[in-house]
Amino acid sequence: MKIGVDYYPEHWDEALWEQDADLMKRSGVELVRMAEFAWSVMEPQEGEYDFSWLDKALALFQEREIQVILCTPTNCPPLWLYEKYPEALQVGRDGKRMKPAVRGHRCYNSPVYRRYTEKIVRKMGEHYRNATNVAAWQIDNEVDSPYCCCEVCAGKFREWLKEKYGSLEAVNKAYHNEVWSGSYSGWQQIYPPLGGWPITQYNPAYMLDYQRFMSESTVEYVQFQLRLLREYFPRIPITTNTYFSGSMTDFYDLFEELDFCSYDNYPTTVLPEEGYYSHAFHLDLIRGVKRKKFWIMEQLSGATGCWMKMGPTVRPGMLKGYALQAFAHGAEAVLHFRFRTAVGGAEMFWHGLIDHSNVPGRRYAEFEDLCRTVQGLSYIDKTRINAKVALLCGFDSEYAFKLQLQTEGIYYFEQMQAFHNAFSHYGVNVDIISQEEELEGYRIVVAPTMYVRSQKAVEQLHRFAREGGIVLLTARSGVKDENNNCIMQPLPRDYRDMTGCWVEEYDAIGNRKIMVEMDGENYQGTHWCDILHLESAEALGVYGEDFYAGKPAATRNAYGKGTVYYIGTVGLPALCRKLAEQTLQLAELPYYKDIPERVEITVREGEEGCFIFVFNNDDAEKDFLFEGGRIKLKPFEMKVVGGKQNE
Ligand code: GLA
Ligand code: ZN
């Protein structure tokens, strides 16, 4: 377990570097990430390289035995490059080439950009080949997959389609292009989604392919850099830092060839007034990407702000608590963004550990406290999370759901999160994994909204249930085939045999709430109502209102040696908890019934025993009975119970 910081020597007077490095050392910093935006400082003019500043910074850290993470600076191509080759810039959906400003905006498919990427990466490779204190490399920064509509992307998309479908006839068939006279009679008629129409008006089959192509283009670009870096650094782990954005790259593809997964973690500083809140959903999802430990490359350190209004400050306990929460959920390193708050540039109000005042204050003291605590937690490195509950995730469904919003207020990731919250409320570890991962070892698999078909996922879920597993499926499953088209069979189609019921009719109710009666109690659902027709399933709950009052809303079915639950609405927290508890009881898995709201339990196991991390994800104190004792937690405090801890 290591604590680090993100540092930008190029932003500060050299006189400050040494003081900063000393302070980091005294505080217990072990890792420093640098250079992800510094291309124009490394290569001020084409072919004129200057690494002297970075060499000095590296030497300062090396002298203090602080390891560094070096980044390729490709997020920000220098202006001389764009001036000479405007074609390296993305083209938006309005057909206009972007203007160089801000950062990003480069087309991953642009041959010029690739060529210059290769040059700068090779230069860094040659220069730092023998550096001894590089812990890891980060490729670029927060790559995502916005729609680039340039001619190069258009051409590559056509090639991608040729490769996938073989012929225009096959593309026309896959897209049902007979609708609205959309049939292609020549490849040159295929374009990115230009024209400025709302995305929801384009053909969803075509749009999903374009989105997949964009995601693959990003992955290919990252792999291009990966291959280059590996030539120079065959033994140094290489990653890229991801985040949750509106234009996400498929994480499972993105990290497949990278050595480890890393993620930028900015939990909110404003907790919702009521109800469950946990950022652990994101952490569990990131751990599940490669099913191993991950790094946090950027961690919340102060108030956010810059392209939005400033948010409230990081409350006492939060800075330390959220870092420890990340470790409990599988982080191997947490780097705080950023050591110093910038005094210039667009992000001057995105606060780091040290404020503009240059006086290390309350947050810095808490950071130092975190460093000390982490040193005493090294035994965690030898433990792992052993989850018996898995939640399935698939990016095709995320994309397709965005392309055709099903009803007001419904989001794919939020449905996963609802069940993650429900199981977390009972102190149960959850793995969030790709829907195509092996399911061996799990007892319960929650598969929310299996919207776009993955044949592999369909087969694995069937096998898992047949062999005795418990599956929980939800509304909007089995809706689309692989091409994002509907299928002429009753929903939930591929899963009908498992669920033992089918959908007679559905009602998209938006943000309205609907009553569901279950076990003599009233619960609530929202957004969606599948009106279910039972075959072999039994009704667990029925709608309590509307014209389908009394009709099944939730069902259970015996399938092979296993059991399959289906819920036809989007459960509000109490309903999700009810279902989570039922499945836990059926699986005979241990869970905590009475932990206070917003207290999170993570159990980690190792040879030294079993450690229970109890985290208060709330701004109020908690005082409760736990594992035969009484436990008191300050706001955002974490305590470890059990195990044979380091003395
Ligand atoms: C992202 C980026 C950083 C910085 C932070 C805060 O995570 O990677 O460079 O912009 O957001 O704004
Ligand atoms: Zn492009």
Side-chain angles (χ1 to χ4, degrees):
M1 277 170 70
K2 285 190 172 149
I3 289 284
V5 294
D6 299 299
Y7 191 58
Y8 299 89
E10 72 275 24
H11 295 183
W12 310 105
D13 198 288
E14 236 186 89
L16 205 57
W17 301 0
E18 194 163 346
Q19 287 175 38
D20 282 348
D22 282 337
L23 179 57
M24 288 178 203
K25 183 67 192 171
R26 273 204 309 282
S27 305
V29 168
E30 294 185 89
L31 285 168
V32 175
R33 186 192 68 167
M34 293 188 290
E36 77 276 21
F37 299 120
W39 194 339
S40 78
V41 193
M42 290 178 196
E43 193 182 0
Q45 298 289 337
E46 177 165 7
E48 263 178 42
Y49 297 94
D50 178 11
F51 293 108
S52 60
W53 62 278
L54 193 53
D55 296 347
K56 276 184 207 152
L58 235 78
L60 281 176
F61 292 122
Q62 173 135 30
E63 282 158 22
R64 288 160 184 77
E65 292 176 325
I66 294 173
Q67 286 199 301
V68 301
I69 296 146
L70 286 180
C71 310
T72 62
T74 46
N75 185 285
C76 294
L79 294 181
W80 56 254
L81 195 159
Y82 283 147
E83 186 185 14
K84 195 163 170 193
Y85 302 105
E87 67 269 36
L89 283 153
Q90 278 168 33
V91 169
R93 291 196 45 235
D94 56 3
K96 289 194 189 132
R97 199 165 291 283
M98 298 207 171
K99 295 281 177 243
V102 198
R103 62 177 174 184
H105 311 332
R106 67 283 196 228
C107 168
Y108 297 119
N109 286 320
S110 150
V112 170
Y113 178 55
R114 291 270 176 121
R115 202 163 75 230
Y116 279 84
T117 293
E118 173 158 1
K119 272 197 194 171
I120 190 72
V121 173
R122 283 197 185 281
K123 274 285 164 199
M124 284 189 92
E126 282 154 21
H127 196 87
Y128 292 108
R129 178 171 241 157
N130 300 317
T132 49
N133 66 327
V134 180
W137 276 87
Q138 173 186 305
I139 293 171
D140 206 286
N141 189 73
E142 291 194 340
V143 290
D144 58 359
S145 303
Y147 300 150
C148 180
C149 299
C150 77
E151 275 300 331
V152 173
C153 286
K156 278 199 90 171
F157 181 46
R158 290 174 199 133
E159 292 308 312
W160 188 89
L161 291 173
K162 277 183 196 157
E163 173 92 27
K164 178 168 177 181
Y165 295 101
S167 69
L168 262 191
E169 293 66 42
V171 178
N172 284 328
K173 193 159 172 251
Y175 291 179
H176 275 280
N177 275 341
E178 67 279 6
V179 177
W180 288 358
S181 283
S183 300
Y184 302 124
S185 53
W187 290 100
Q188 73 285 359
Q189 293 161 8
I190 305 180
Y191 270 97
L194 287 157
W197 304 100
I199 280 300
T200 46
Q201 295 193 14
Y202 290 76
N203 182 333
Y206 149 83
M207 275 311 303
L208 181 59
D209 263 356
Y210 191 71
Q211 176 75 65
R212 286 165 170 158
F213 162 71
M214 276 290 136
S215 178
E216 283 179 29
S217 298
T218 311
V219 173
E220 199 188 273
Y221 175 73
V222 168
Q223 287 176 353
F224 171 69
Q225 287 209 27
L226 174 68
R227 281 193 300 275
L228 293 169
L229 285 171
R230 283 226 207 281
E231 281 183 35
Y232 300 90
F233 309 100
R235 276 176 293 278
I236 298 182
I238 302 168
T239 189
T240 188
N241 57 332
T242 198
Y243 72 125
F244 289 82
S245 79
S247 52
M248 276 180 283
T249 308
D250 183 320
F251 290 174
Y252 303 106
D253 293 345
L254 181 62
F255 288 99
E256 193 174 332
E257 310 228 323
L258 293 166
D259 297 303
F260 63 100
C261 182
S262 77
Y263 161 61
D264 297 343
N265 193 35
Y266 293 101
T268 179
T269 57
V270 191
L271 302 188
E273 276 185 14
E274 52 185 43
Y276 198 83
Y277 163 75
S278 175
H279 203 73
F281 167 71
H282 302 89
L283 300 168
D284 286 345
L285 194 147
I286 293 295
R287 186 184 67 250
V289 171
K290 286 188 84 74
R291 303 182 88 174
K292 65 179 210 186
K293 289 188 179 161
F294 58 93
W295 289 24
I296 301 287
M297 282 299 186
E298 297 177 19
Q299 172 79 12
L300 178 77
S301 304
T304 58
C306 51
W307 33 80
M308 62 252 220
K309 289 176 202 142
M310 273 185 258
T313 190
V314 169
R315 304 193 61 74
M318 260 187 178
L319 187 144
K320 181 178 176 186
Y322 282 150
L324 293 178
Q325 180 196 32
F327 284 120
H329 285 269
E332 210 167 21
V334 173
L335 283 85
H336 280 261
F337 184 90
R338 41 191 284 165
F339 186 67
R340 292 187 166 282
T341 312
V343 291
E347 286 197 329
M348 60 174 83
F349 292 126
W350 192 286
H351 295 76
L353 291 170
I354 302 175
D355 288 332
H356 295 138
S357 67
N358 197 19
V359 183
R362 172 184 67 84
R363 297 196 312 282
Y364 198 81
E366 193 171 309
F367 172 71
E368 292 193 302
D369 181 30
L370 166 70
C371 293
R372 282 190 296 274
T373 303
V374 166
Q375 277 158 13
L377 289 175
S378 56
Y379 59 89
I380 297 180
D381 283 340
K382 294 194 216 108
T383 63
R384 60 186 306 275
I385 288 177
N386 181 9
K388 294 286 171 214
V389 179
L391 245 166
L392 301 190
C393 171
F395 276 81
D396 271 355
S397 291
E398 156 70 2
Y399 295 149
F401 236 65
K402 278 202 178 128
L403 295 171
Q404 288 180 293
L405 189 64
Q406 301 290 289
T407 182
E408 199 59 44
I410 195 169
Y411 301 101
Y412 175 69
F413 268 64
E414 278 183 15
Q415 294 186 71
M416 280 194 279
Q417 193 156 9
F419 281 101
H420 186 271
N421 285 350
F423 282 93
S424 302
H425 166 76
Y426 291 114
V428 174
N429 289 344
V430 180
D431 282 350
I432 304 174
I433 56 173
S434 158
Q435 61 183 11
E436 303 200 334
E437 275 287 354
E438 290 291 325
L439 301 176
E440 222 186 290
Y442 295 111
R443 289 285 296 121
I444 300 171
V445 171
V446 185
T449 307
M450 300 294 279
Y451 185 68
V452 177
R453 178 196 280 148
S454 145
Q455 196 52 38
K456 195 169 172 195
V458 170
E459 281 162 21
Q460 291 191 159
L461 267 179
H462 276 81
R463 193 176 334 119
F464 177 75
R466 257 196 326 267
E467 291 172 1
I470 297 166
V471 173
L472 200 164
L473 282 155
T474 76
R476 305 314 280 149
S477 290
V479 178
K480 297 292 189 96
D481 64 12
E482 289 87 344
N483 295 326
N484 205 14
N485 292 316
C486 289
I487 312 159
M488 275 176 70
Q489 279 162 28
L491 289 167
R493 293 186 183 115
D494 294 323
Y495 306 101
R496 175 177 171 182
D497 57 339
M498 297 172 73
T499 56
C501 65
W502 56 276
V503 180
E504 276 180 11
E505 193 180 344
Y506 52 69
D507 191 10
I509 62 169
N511 289 323
R512 222 184 82 206
K513 297 192 171 88
I514 182 120
M515 195 206 293
V516 174
E517 295 166 2
M518 215 165 150
D519 282 348
E521 310 254 354
N522 289 339
Y523 296 88
Q524 281 184 314
T526 184
H527 304 322
W528 199 266
C529 298
D530 279 341
I531 304 164
L532 300 172
H533 181 102
L534 303 182
E535 289 177 316
S536 52
E538 57 177 312
L540 284 183
V542 296
Y543 292 109
E545 53 191 322
D546 220 312
F547 70 89
Y548 35 91
K551 291 272 197 177
T555 60
R556 180 171 53 205
N557 188 45
Y559 180 75
K561 292 187 199 142
T563 308
V564 181
Y565 289 76
Y566 185 87
I567 168 90
T569 184
V570 176
L572 290 188
L575 182 51
C576 291
R577 284 181 187 182
K578 172 81 181 168
L579 288 164
E581 193 175 11
Q582 283 215 359
T583 58
L584 287 166
Q585 283 171 349
L586 184 66
E588 294 176 355
L589 290 176
Y591 65 96
Y592 296 96
K593 231 183 145 50
D594 298 310
I595 45 175
E597 217 38 54
R598 295 188 183 170
V599 167
E600 297 174 21
I601 310 282
T602 314
V603 182
R604 302 190 59 101
E605 291 162 45
E607 282 171 16
E608 312 262 297
C610 174
F611 301 89
I612 309 173
F613 292 78
V614 191
F615 175 53
N616 178 13
N617 198 355
D618 204 359
D619 209 2
E621 288 197 9
K622 307 276 150 138
D623 183 349
F624 57 105
L625 296 175
F626 184 73
E627 292 285 331
R630 186 161 162 207
I631 189 162
K632 270 188 174 189
L633 296 169
K634 293 201 268 298
F636 308 103
E637 190 181 10
M638 177 175 282
K639 282 192 175 157
V640 188
V641 178
K644 199 173 76 196
Q645 295 171 43
N646 291 2
E647 257 78 66

